[in-house]
Amino acid sequence: MTEMPGMHAFDNAVPLAPVRDLALAEPIGMVLEIAGSSSQVVFDPVRVDALAGHADPVAACAGSVGSQIKMRVGGFWLIANVRSLKLADDGERISALVDFLGEGDEDPVTGVLNRFRRGVTRYPMPGCVVYPVATPDLKQIYAADDRANIEVGTVYPTKDIRAALYIDAMLGKHFALLGSTGTGKSTSAALILHKICERAPQGHIVMIDPHGEYSAAFKTNGALFDVSNLSMPYWLMNFEEHCEVFLTTQGSSRQMDADILAKCLLAARMKSRLGQEIAKLTVDAPIPYLLSDLLNFITQEMGKLDRAGDTAPYMRLKTKIEEIKADPRYSFMFNGLLVADTMANFIERIFRLPGGGKPISIIDVSGVPSEITSVVVAMLSRMVFDFAIWGRGEDKKRPILLVCEEAHRYIPSDRHSDSSVGKILGRIAKEGRKYGVSLGLITQRPSDLAEGVLSQCGTIISMRLNNDRDQAFVRAAMPEGARGFLDSIPALRNRECIICGEGVSIPIRVSFDGLEEIKRPASEDPLFSELWTEVGGEDEMIGRTIKRWRAQGR
């Protein structure tokens, strides 16, 4: 066996505790250089190769990128993660950059690491010997403590070490689930949400589902809403959201239209019985009003004008409001039956207060007209946030988790995008945890998210990302100690991920558990090879499709 320079002095050292497996008692390298963020070690390739066939899959991966190693310092075991590898200058050894993860005690009987804790109190000196980590060590490192947690899979490369997410830490500081299309992102999101629902059957979760995928996954334990039963009153919109729906112009003309709308909208709110009871009513207050009253006030204001040329802004507003009022696609929101004060009932249904054993609301917005989808998402998000703000004080906090699928659509990185949904989701990301609002972002394009939003997520769950720009974006958002794991993101298999941040003790590579068919979202890829062999019934299928198409799903 090739001797590493300087290592022979350690070969005859007596271990502090008996080790049953002599292969694991052999050092595989030594510390070459120590720095605060990352350090350098050198491996003996012969000793690393000798472990490659070891029965323990963890020990067999020793020395590879993303694997863990340990070193003894002052009676403790320090655990480090291998970030990168290259051939050393002498051409015989392998040089590796490592990130320190934490430390633990050594069991005096078995020699196994125990009582692992995050962070390092004392760094090793250059020349310190490096040993491989084995499965019993990893069981201690990844063992969930007594905090509330959910088990979502197994730690790579093992088959029996369970990977746990700490619910309070993960939800308390937001989380993001990232992954390219086809990596199992939707199924993984459903798995995590199912586990949370099982752990907290009286919870309050609102999920924005833009593609109608998740209703199939939560038929038994979720409340399902779409345009047929959402019944979202239009008067719950604030002034900014009214502008996005009713105004059609830009620049100075838009400001003129907005001034007219503000004056007439406030008058319409003040006319209602509830509005008359409030001394200082604002245009943003969620007070019911009649669309006919709003149109009448616009007509009255137009009648006060001296010159006919000034009527264009009023006519634009009237035309748009009447158009929306008559369009059946908008009936889930702009409906004459939604004038009554149903705000309390709407909050009860959507926020699951009480949940009745169904703690999650799936809001399927796939049937919402594309022109107002972002407004609907903005309304739901803002109501979650406003409910939390105005609910402070005497009442006990009722934390709410808001999960946003395809988050890059609503919080785009384009700085010129100044939509109400981008503003409210950005505000929840920055301030939500103070008020008990947790944000879960799911996206396949993290680089398209607004700058800073991803960095507000305390826990990042990253599946495979194929795009270099996305990988760089996630790398910048993740903590320093996770860099070795990040390099394996492009090589992750389907249903595998890297988890780092507040929700786990240390960065971790996880293979997600399988999910029963009944709990999976409707997001499977079509099997062209099978579906293109089927014939028959095309005429009836086309007829049914056209009927639904013309009725817009109704």
Side-chain angles (χ1 to χ4, degrees):
M1 183 179 291
T2 303
E3 287 295 329
M4 294 182 60
M7 281 197 62
H8 59 276
F10 298 94
D11 289 350
N12 297 320
V14 178
L16 295 181
V19 179
R20 293 174 185 172
D21 193 329
L22 294 178
L24 301 180
E26 287 269 337
I28 58 171
M30 66 190 308
V31 176
L32 192 65
E33 182 183 341
I34 289 293
S37 57
S38 67
S39 303
Q40 192 174 1
V41 303
V42 287
F43 293 126
D44 179 348
V46 175
R47 294 192 175 184
V48 170
D49 285 345
L51 281 172
H54 200 283
D56 185 336
V58 177
C61 290
S64 61
V65 170
S67 67
Q68 286 78 44
I69 54 174
K70 63 183 180 181
M71 54 206 81
R72 189 183 285 125
V73 177
F76 296 115
W77 281 116
L78 295 191
I79 303 297
N81 185 64
V82 179
R83 182 197 295 191
S84 64
L85 297 170
K86 70 175 183 178
L87 200 61
D89 294 337
D90 59 15
E92 295 183 2
R93 299 179 298 172
I94 299 170
S95 174
L97 288 179
V98 300
D99 300 305
F100 287 101
L101 302 175
E103 62 187 20
D105 303 330
E106 183 181 38
D107 189 292
V109 178
T110 63
V112 172
L113 171 99
N114 60 22
R115 291 182 57 230
F116 177 82
R117 53 232 173 240
R118 200 171 183 168
V120 175
T121 54
R122 181 177 167 185
Y123 285 95
M125 297 294 288
C128 180
V129 181
V130 172
Y131 293 92
V133 163
T135 295
D137 297 320
L138 275 196
K139 283 184 177 177
Q140 292 296 319
I141 292 170
Y142 293 119
D145 55 31
D146 54 1
R147 289 181 288 170
N149 64 79
I150 53 171
E151 292 184 350
V152 294
T154 54
V155 177
Y156 178 87
T158 71
K159 300 293 183 187
D160 57 346
I161 299 178
R162 301 296 291 159
L165 283 167
Y166 297 117
I167 292 183
D168 295 327
M170 182 177 80
L171 302 186
K173 295 186 179 176
H174 312 312
F175 71 92
L177 174 58
L178 319 169
S180 296
T181 302
T183 57
K185 186 170 76 287
S186 299
T187 305
S188 302
L191 170 69
I192 292 170
L193 292 174
H194 273 300
K195 294 284 187 178
I196 292 174
C197 290
E198 289 169 13
R199 188 73 174 72
Q202 300 303 321
H204 314 288
I205 306 170
V206 178
M207 181 176 200
I208 310 294
D209 178 11
H211 301 306
E213 296 176 340
Y214 291 89
S215 294
F218 293 93
K219 286 178 181 175
T220 57
N221 61 343
L224 312 179
F225 299 97
D226 56 20
V227 290
S228 67
N229 66 345
L230 184 57
S231 301
M232 175 183 282
Y234 59 86
W235 47 264
L236 286 174
M237 291 189 292
N238 64 13
F239 177 62
E240 186 178 10
E241 290 152 4
H242 271 89
C243 288
E244 286 194 29
V245 176
F246 291 151
L247 303 191
T248 57
T249 52
Q250 298 297 327
S252 58
S253 297
R254 187 178 182 86
Q255 186 57 53
M256 187 185 301
D257 293 3
D259 292 340
I260 296 167
L261 179 60
K263 185 175 182 180
C264 297
L265 178 59
L266 181 59
R269 290 198 195 274
M270 290 176 70
K271 186 179 177 183
S272 70
R273 181 181 58 79
L274 271 176
Q276 292 171 12
E277 294 173 1
I278 299 174
K280 293 182 179 179
L281 188 66
T282 70
V283 73
D284 284 329
I287 299 295
Y289 72 90
L290 294 170
L291 283 174
S292 56
D293 284 342
L294 178 59
L295 288 167
N296 289 338
F297 281 116
I298 293 172
T299 304
Q300 286 176 26
E301 288 296 315
M302 185 168 60
K304 295 177 184 177
L305 295 176
D306 297 329
R307 299 194 314 277
D310 291 331
T311 60
Y314 298 90
M315 290 306 298
R316 280 196 299 264
L317 268 174
K318 281 190 67 176
T319 303
K320 185 64 177 177
I321 293 170
E322 286 168 348
E323 176 190 315
I324 287 175
K325 192 177 175 185
D327 193 332
R329 296 179 304 151
Y330 293 82
S331 61
F332 74 96
M333 189 170 170
F334 295 91
N335 189 317
L337 300 175
L338 299 175
V339 178
D341 182 13
T342 55
M343 189 172 178
N345 177 260
F346 183 76
I347 288 173
E348 273 180 29
R349 289 191 306 132
I350 302 300
F351 298 171
R352 315 308 301 148
L353 292 163
K358 294 186 175 183
I360 185 169
S361 287
I362 304 295
I363 316 292
D364 176 3
V365 295
S366 60
V368 173
S370 57
E371 310 91 82
I372 65 163
T373 301
S374 62
V375 174
V376 170
V377 176
M379 282 180 66
L380 289 165
S381 306
R382 180 182 52 78
M383 288 191 70
V384 169
F385 192 61
D386 285 353
F387 181 78
I389 288 177
W390 296 109
R392 290 180 304 164
E394 296 178 8
D395 293 320
K396 191 177 180 181
K397 263 189 183 179
R398 296 292 177 92
I400 297 175
L401 167 61
L402 175 65
V403 183
C404 191
E405 172 71 274
E406 297 284 7
H408 58 276
R409 285 174 50 175
Y410 307 117
I411 329 174
S413 57
D414 182 3
R415 293 186 179 181
H416 300 293
S417 177
D418 199 26
S419 64
S420 56
V421 67
K423 286 179 184 175
I424 186 60
L425 288 174
R427 191 177 175 197
I428 290 174
K430 292 170 189 168
E431 306 172 31
R433 64 185 184 85
K434 301 176 188 173
Y435 304 108
V437 178
S438 177
L439 186 62
L441 301 178
I442 305 171
T443 179
Q444 58 185 317
R445 290 303 306 269
S447 60
D448 287 347
L449 279 176
E451 190 178 354
V453 171
L454 192 60
S455 62
Q456 298 290 338
C457 295
T459 304
I460 295 180
I461 305 166
S462 179
M463 306 185 79
R464 189 174 69 249
L465 291 166
N466 300 325
N467 186 284
D468 288 344
R469 191 159 152 258
D470 291 328
Q471 293 168 22
F473 200 79
V474 174
R475 191 173 285 110
M478 281 192 172
E480 189 76 17
R483 295 296 167 87
F485 291 89
L486 288 174
D487 292 333
S488 61
I489 282 180
L492 291 172
R493 296 173 294 185
N494 286 357
R495 291 183 42 246
E496 275 191 357
C497 71
I498 304 296
I499 308 177
C500 71
E502 303 294 332
V504 286
S505 299
I506 60 171
I508 181 174
R509 180 171 172 177
V510 176
S511 177
F512 279 120
D513 289 338
L515 203 54
E516 302 166 42
E517 189 71 36
I518 195 172
K519 293 184 176 180
R520 290 182 199 163
S523 59
E524 293 84 5
D525 296 329
L527 297 173
F528 289 81
S529 59
E530 291 183 15
L531 296 174
W532 279 359
T533 61
E534 297 176 5
V535 290
E538 285 83 355
D539 292 344
E540 294 83 357
M541 184 196 72
I542 292 172
R544 288 191 298 270
T545 301
I546 290 174
K547 187 177 180 181
R548 288 195 298 267
W549 195 344
R550 286 174 173 164
Q552 295 291 291
R554 289 170 181 76

